[in-house]
Amino acid sequence: MRVVTLASGSSGNATLVEAGNTALLVDAGLSARTLTARLRAAGRTPGELAGIVLTHEHGDHVTGALALAAQYDLPIHADARTLAALRAAPSDAEATREKATLVPQPVGTNWQIGDLRITSFAVPHDAAAPCGYLIGTAAWRMCLVTDCGEMNDTILRQMSAAQLIIIEANHDRARLLRGPYTASLKRRILSPTGHLANDQTAAALDACLDGDPRWVWLAHLSRTNNTPDLARATIAERLGARRMRVAKLAVAPPGMGLTWDSAHLLAAPATR
């Protein structure tokens, strides 16, 4: 199984997940042209994808979804409410919107696409039907949790089932509160349907990690309210306090940057 981050952050999110002969794109928050270029840099063409899976309908997760799906005849899988919001969003190309194949997959269900088993689970966020995913095979699994305001037992259980955890570490609370955002935007980010702070991410990992080897990628970092070093240090301090040294920590950059391949049992870069 191989996982490659193509983009992470408020400017766009997309992750390539592969197993056997199956390749999926989880979120498509860049233009179709940029997604195509980054897929090719990762060794795939868009036409080789088995489909696109969406976490929710916000622009930084779906910008290129309809265009890429229409151009390469790719099905888009998501909850019906997410698909309805995607269709209702303003678009410059009605023909593209109508040409895309949309496949409803209710949040909280399991389904198979080729060699990959997919489980969706609800996450608290201000979207139509936001969700995270546990995706993989019988042997290897990745769990993706971004755009999430707070943790719960269901999310922690799904994280515990994965060898690779991609989890939001959006902001540092103090940095956000003293930063330039408006009061209303700060309230939205800090709300239970907003985004995870570094300390929340650290607590979640502390709760779900055990003695099995894990790789942890910190994702969706705010360029204004966080830094890679600050996020990494906060999580490392919390895990280190319990001598939990099984987590290999890395930070997903805004562009391409991280690859995990179960065949080689390594993530790049990996620390700790």
Side-chain angles (χ1 to χ4, degrees):
M1 182 173 170
R2 186 172 79 119
V3 181
V4 183
T5 59
L6 305 183
S8 178
S10 57
S11 58
N13 298 272
T15 304
L16 174 66
V17 183
E18 303 173 328
N21 296 316
T22 305
L24 290 177
L25 188 62
V26 182
D27 285 337
L30 303 168
S31 70
R33 177 178 294 182
T34 301
L35 286 169
T36 296
R38 294 192 183 182
L39 282 167
R40 287 178 173 155
R44 286 283 184 178
T45 63
E48 293 175 316
L49 295 175
I52 301 170
V53 179
L54 300 179
T55 58
H56 64 294
E57 74 279 8
H58 289 168
D60 58 330
H61 294 259
V62 305
T63 293
L66 287 170
L68 196 71
Q71 185 175 354
Y72 293 97
D73 193 23
L74 305 175
I76 299 177
H77 300 259
D79 188 276
R81 292 164 290 179
T82 298
L83 296 176
L86 180 66
R87 277 199 179 278
S91 173
D92 295 332
E94 287 299 322
T96 295
R97 187 199 309 272
E98 295 305 318
K99 188 176 178 182
T101 300
L102 307 183
V103 183
Q105 303 285 2
V107 170
T109 57
N110 308 296
W111 73 97
Q112 191 86 20
I113 299 179
D115 296 309
L116 287 168
R117 182 71 171 169
I118 303 168
T119 299
S120 66
F121 51 92
V123 299
H125 190 55
D126 53 359
C131 68
Y133 288 106
L134 181 69
I135 303 176
T137 66
W140 298 98
R141 292 166 298 279
M142 63 82 73
C143 184
L144 184 142
V145 181
T146 62
D147 293 71
C148 175
E150 63 182 7
M151 280 288 148
N152 58 47
D153 289 343
T154 297
I155 300 172
L156 292 174
R157 186 166 58 252
Q158 300 294 347
M159 288 169 57
S160 296
Q163 289 87 14
L164 171 63
I165 299 170
I166 305 176
I167 182 171
E168 175 177 69
N170 178 257
H171 62 277
D172 172 78
R173 290 177 188 271
R175 194 179 178 108
L176 171 64
L177 288 171
R178 68 172 181 262
Y181 285 7
T182 64
S184 60
L185 181 54
K186 290 176 182 179
R187 285 194 298 271
R188 173 186 174 263
I189 293 170
L190 291 168
S191 77
T193 56
H195 291 273
L196 290 177
N198 292 339
D199 61 325
Q200 290 174 292
T201 301
L205 290 168
D206 194 0
C208 78
L209 291 178
D210 51 27
D212 293 335
R214 307 293 177 106
W215 288 258
V216 176
W217 292 351
L218 305 178
H220 215 300
L221 272 68
S222 168
R223 292 185 180 183
T224 303
N225 304 307
N226 211 354
T227 69
D229 287 345
L230 185 55
R232 191 165 33 232
T234 302
I235 278 76
E237 181 180 6
R238 177 67 178 259
L239 300 184
R242 289 185 51 188
R243 294 182 173 82
M244 211 171 275
R245 301 188 182 279
V246 296
K248 282 73 173 177
L249 279 176
V251 176
M256 294 185 67
L258 296 179
T259 298
W260 180 85
D261 193 333
S262 64
H264 302 120
L265 293 178
L266 61 88
T271 62
R272 193 155 182 82

